[in-house]
Amino acid sequence: MERLITEKERKWLLEVQHFLRSYNTTKLELDTLGRLQGVVCWLAHGMEVVPPQEKNRFSHHWFELELIYADLKTRGRVEDKRRVMAYIAQVVLGALALVEELLKLPTAYCPVCGYPLTFAPWSEDQPSYEACPCCMTVFGCDDFPGGEDPLPRHEVYKQLRKQWKAEG
């Protein structure tokens, strides 16, 4: 099974996706360049799900952005602005493509059929009320162990799995 991303990572990736989509690659501003450096650093070092070859690429991008940032901060300008802006646009597009790929990774697997889900069926004691696209189990409805003598949820999943298999 492939690596799952956590809900916290998914929320962060959605924020990064929004930031990258709104990044203005025609302006060189220290604060947004600094934030882009942070994103690239996290892709290079912080996210376990990033493939090693991508980590290496983003490590290189981080180093280059550090040089651009230092140049801009000390002198207030960069030597070859067109080349720098084209490079930053390339980094932004590459990071956005990687983030969008990472967002496709599953957050959990369906406890009934094993299908990879991009949401957690339950978060602590709160159900998602979303359905598995494979077995159509609605988390919070079909797997809610209510009644006078409630079964533990894992027992409910065993019953749902048996029913799902029987239905073909």
Side-chain angles (χ1 to χ4, degrees), residues 60-86:
H60 171 75
H61 288 334
W62 183 85
F63 180 72
E64 289 292 321
L65 289 171
E66 181 68 23
L67 294 176
I68 294 167
Y69 184 84
D71 211 25
L72 192 59
K73 192 171 183 181
T74 55
R75 293 189 297 163
R77 60 184 173 77
V78 288
E79 288 301 316
D80 187 354
K81 188 174 180 181
R82 286 183 69 176
R83 184 188 63 76
V84 166
M85 298 309 285

Side-chain angles (χ1 to χ4, degrees), residues 16 20 25 36 39-40 43 50 54 57-58 61 86-102:
V16 167
L20 292 171
T25 55
L36 180 60
V39 165
V40 167
L43 291 173
V50 176
E54 293 290 332
R57 186 163 63 104
F58 280 98
H61 288 334
Y87 179 75
I88 290 173
Q90 173 194 347
V91 171
V92 168
L93 289 174
L96 186 58
L98 179 59
V99 165
E100 288 176 350
E101 280 301 307
L102 294 174

Side-chain angles (χ1 to χ4, degrees), residues 104-134:
K104 293 176 186 173
L105 291 176
T107 299
Y109 292 96
C110 177
V112 176
C113 67
Y115 189 84
L117 304 171
T118 56
F119 60 90
W122 285 75
S123 180
E124 296 175 21
D125 287 339
Q126 297 297 313
S128 65
Y129 295 107
E130 293 194 48
C132 171
C134 181

Side-chain angles (χ1 to χ4, degrees), residues 122 140-156:
W122 285 75
C141 294
D142 298 334
D143 64 347
F144 193 76
E148 286 184 28
D149 190 21
L151 291 171
R153 195 172 301 129
H154 70 276
E155 291 297 324
V156 173

